[in-house]
């Protein structure tokens, strides 16, 4: 599950975010405890705790004292909004910039995307 590209605690946070985005974890649903998570993935509990704390700090999870961690009610909406902004910044804006540099009219880019959406050959 984990790779060497980023710290494990960050990968834990991203995996939980993906579970929320996919609907595998819903609003106010309890998540595994840090100890359960650490045991399941065979990692240090402190590393798991750091990933969970990141999610608490971001407002994705909240703690119920003595009970555990839960998905925040608006976590999915917030994550979708963040990913949407990141998509436009990381994918669309560089694509538009490259199209301008090489002289492709934006109408052609839009037409190509629309053709892909409709299942038409590109």
């Amino acid at each position: 599950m984990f790779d060497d590209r980023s710290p494990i605690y960050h990968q834990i946070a991203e995996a939980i975010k993906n579970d929320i985005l996919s609907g595998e974890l819903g609003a106010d649903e309890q998540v595994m405890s840090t100890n359960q998570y650490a045991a399941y993935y065979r990692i240090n509990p402190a590393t798991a705790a750091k990933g969970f704390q990141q999610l608490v700090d971001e407002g994705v999870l909240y703690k119920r004292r003595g009970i555990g961690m839960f998905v925040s009610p608006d976590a999915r909406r917030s994550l979708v909004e963040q990913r949407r902004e990141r998509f436009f910044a990381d994918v669309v804006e560089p694509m538009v910039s490259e199209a301008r540099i090489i002289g492709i009219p934006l109408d052609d880019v839009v037409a190509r995307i629309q053709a892909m959406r409709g299942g038409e050959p590109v």
Side-chain angles (χ1 to χ4, degrees):
M1 167 168 183
F2 304 112
D3 59 43
D4 293 336
R5 289 181 268 171
S6 64
I8 291 175
Y9 76 90
H10 182 73
Q11 293 178 59
I12 290 167
E14 288 302 309
I16 293 171
K17 287 177 183 180
N18 287 336
D19 288 346
I20 293 167
L21 285 166
S22 72
E24 192 172 321
L25 287 172
D28 294 311
E29 189 171 331
Q30 188 169 11
V31 297
M32 276 194 275
S33 73
T34 55
N35 288 333
Q36 289 171 323
Y37 203 90
Y40 184 82
Y41 289 106
R42 297 179 165 217
I43 60 172
N44 186 319
T47 301
K50 191 171 181 179
F52 278 65
Q53 187 59 51
Q54 176 183 327
L55 295 171
V56 169
D57 293 345
E58 293 176 8
V60 174
L61 299 180
Y62 66 92
K63 298 177 188 180
R64 284 190 187 161
R65 190 176 184 141
I67 300 175
M69 300 261 194
F70 295 81
V71 177
S72 296
D74 66 338
R76 187 173 192 292
R77 180 198 55 75
S78 177
L79 291 170
V80 167
E81 191 176 297
Q82 289 172 15
R83 292 272 178 102
R84 177 183 167 88
E85 289 305 314
R86 191 168 69 199
F87 172 78
F88 282 111
D90 294 351
V91 177
V92 176
E93 291 171 12
M95 176 183 62
V96 169
S97 178
E98 180 70 10
R100 283 186 177 136
I101 289 170
I102 60 177
I104 299 174
L106 291 182
D107 288 343
D108 290 358
V109 174
V110 171
R112 183 75 168 243
I113 292 169
Q114 288 175 333
M116 293 171 69
R117 185 181 95 196
E120 300 170 20
V122 210

